[in-house]
Amino acid sequence: MRKWLQHISNRTARRLTLLLAAAGVLLLGTAVWLTLSMEEEPATLTTFAMGSYVQQTVYGSQGEEAAQAASTAVTELENRISWRVEDSDIALLNQEAGKDFQEIGSQTWEILQTALQVCQQSGGAFDVTIAPLSWLWNFDENPHLPEADTIAAFLPQVNWENVLLGEDNTAALKTSSTALDLGAVGKGAACDTAVAVYQESGVDRAVVAVGGSIGLWGEKPFGDPWRVALRDPATDGSLGELALQEGFVSTSGSYEKQFEEDGTTYHHILDPDTGYPAQSGLVSVTVWSSSGVLSDALSTACFVLGLEDSLPLLEEFASGAVFVTEDNQVYVTENLQDAFSLTAQDYTLAGTL
Ligand code: ADP
Ligand code: MG
């Protein structure tokens, strides 16, 4: 009898356990389903600024307002830092070059401060006073090969040490022939600006892309990483992807803007040492950093420096990179080794740096 009762109770206990387990699975499943289905559709917004599309995907109840606010903030930033905008901070500094310190916006001042650090640490491979040369080559409107003599004459005007940062948001250019072009950091700075708006707006998470720069904000559900597709420099397809939890990613590539003259192809990333397009054996560099200005400045700097000389610079700024060489080899810094996966067939993952 006791045995029989025990048998029943064992069976009941087993059934109860099974039932409870099934209920548990069901509950968990419902919870996951609820979380997923309660996930609102993100707000998406595409606008145009800094000569590029500004593409935003913003999650959270404030998504739409935040995307609009970020778009406005990016346009305001452009009006501060573009040399093309007549009354921008940069236009003012260029106009008053060789004269007194000028008052500029705090955002412009901070961008200049970070950019100048990269100028210094890159030994001038990245140089915010590239303007006389970038205007000469005129990649945006009427690209052409300048006379060698003219390039040589303009070269001494390119020197970041002629940029003076004062206190209280002031700056000056030391000589009248110095001029600023923040083209290499503008899009990254725009990502910083958008992310600052997301932070203030309390949105759940968001991703912003401005040309070749991307800003990631917030965490994806279940700890999933953001997946940032990298472009195959030779086609419009994908080279591979970076799976990242956070940060900013910028790519500089010779394919972005180029023209051909007398059978030679010239691209828009200039070597301040020669005055000609940088020839470092690279076709693209993607940099991952803690800020958009940094990733953008570093991607340009690394493109000029080439693979080996880029490594100390990346280390200095706690950043990582994916390099693509002219002979289709892909190199990844150690800190991005696990995050990067190569998908394009025509390339070889040559090694970790
Ligand atoms: P993109 O503007 O295509 O995203 P980059 O961020 O690499 O590419 O910036 C290239 C732009 O930066 C050029 O169009 C020019 O305005 C400027 N530039 C070119 N060479 C340099 C350089 N060595 N240092 C700083 N700025 C540069
Ligand atoms: Mg750049």
Side-chain angles (χ1 to χ4, degrees):
M1 177 79 170
R2 258 182 47 203
K3 229 178 177 182
W4 187 71
L5 268 177
Q6 204 179 2
H7 182 67
I8 289 193
S9 66
N10 271 349
R11 238 175 54 187
T12 317
R14 268 208 307 273
R15 278 191 181 159
L16 217 80
T17 314
L18 267 174
L19 209 71
L20 276 172
V25 167
L26 204 73
L27 255 167
L28 193 72
T30 315
V32 169
W33 179 79
L34 268 175
T35 317
L36 285 175
S37 59
M38 268 164 47
E39 261 271 302
E40 288 161 89
E41 279 289 300
T44 57
L45 182 65
T46 300
T47 47
F48 196 80
M50 314 234 175
S52 294
Y53 287 109
V54 179
Q55 294 169 298
Q56 302 182 66
T57 306
V58 189
Y59 292 82
S61 55
Q62 304 296 311
E64 219 158 295
E65 292 88 334
Q68 286 293 349
S71 168
T72 306
V74 167
T75 301
E76 282 168 8
L77 174 73
E78 182 177 17
N79 291 337
R80 285 279 189 181
I81 66 168
S82 170
W83 59 261
R84 290 182 181 81
V85 176
E86 212 181 315
D87 57 353
S88 74
D89 291 335
I90 298 303
L92 172 73
L93 290 172
N94 287 348
Q95 222 171 290
E96 302 298 315
K99 299 186 200 151
D100 286 346
F101 275 82
Q102 305 294 319
E103 215 167 295
I104 56 173
S106 58
Q107 217 177 348
T108 311
W109 194 92
E110 279 160 24
I111 292 168
L112 277 174
Q113 191 188 36
T114 308
L116 285 170
Q117 283 168 10
V118 178
C119 292
Q120 183 180 23
Q121 298 293 334
S122 68
F126 172 79
D127 195 317
V128 284
T129 63
I130 198 82
L133 280 178
S134 59
W135 292 339
L136 184 65
W137 284 86
N138 200 0
F139 277 92
D140 289 324
E141 276 145 36
N142 176 28
H144 67 282
L145 176 63
E147 293 290 331
D149 288 353
T150 319
I151 292 177
F154 278 35
L155 261 186
Q157 298 177 15
V158 178
N159 182 359
W160 60 271
E161 285 175 281
N162 288 331
V163 185
L164 308 173
L165 275 191
E167 280 171 20
D168 298 331
N169 299 326
T170 61
L173 302 181
K174 226 185 208 170
T175 74
S176 61
S177 56
T178 308
L180 291 163
D181 167 13
L182 293 186
V185 289
K187 294 169 195 126
C191 291
D192 287 335
T193 297
V195 165
V197 171
Y198 305 147
Q199 239 160 341
E200 278 166 27
S201 317
V203 301
D204 294 343
R205 61 185 193 279
V207 54
V208 58
V210 187
S213 288
I214 287 175
L216 308 171
W217 160 250
E219 279 171 30
K220 289 185 64 164
F222 314 113
D224 279 351
W226 294 99
R227 295 186 185 281
V228 177
L230 307 194
R231 185 178 148 175
D232 177 346
T235 66
D236 265 348
S238 150
L239 172 83
E241 69 171 28
L242 278 172
L244 300 167
Q245 295 293 347
E246 58 184 357
F248 294 79
V249 178
S250 294
T251 299
S252 285
S254 51
Y255 55 82
E256 270 297 333
K257 286 177 199 162
Q258 47 176 237
F259 69 92
E260 212 185 289
E261 203 165 305
D262 303 332
T264 307
T265 304
Y266 299 92
H267 65 79
H268 71 310
I269 304 170
L270 301 172
D271 183 341
D273 270 349
T274 64
Y276 285 84
Q279 286 184 304
S280 58
L282 298 173
V283 282
S284 87
V285 189
T286 298
V287 174
W288 170 65
S289 298
S290 59
S291 91
V293 169
L294 255 187
S295 64
D296 207 356
L298 290 174
S299 71
T300 307
C302 292
F303 191 96
V304 176
L305 286 171
L307 218 148
E308 271 167 33
D309 291 343
S310 291
L311 299 181
L313 183 68
L314 291 165
E315 213 163 289
E316 180 72 33
F317 289 99
S319 298
V322 178
F323 299 88
V324 185
T325 67
E326 279 166 352
D327 46 3
N328 288 12
Q329 306 287 303
V330 179
Y331 293 85
V332 186
T333 53
E334 206 177 359
N335 52 7
L336 288 181
Q337 190 183 6
D338 295 338
F340 178 69
S341 48
L342 178 71
T343 50
Q345 305 279 318
D346 302 341
Y347 296 83
T348 312
L349 194 52
T352 309
L353 305 163

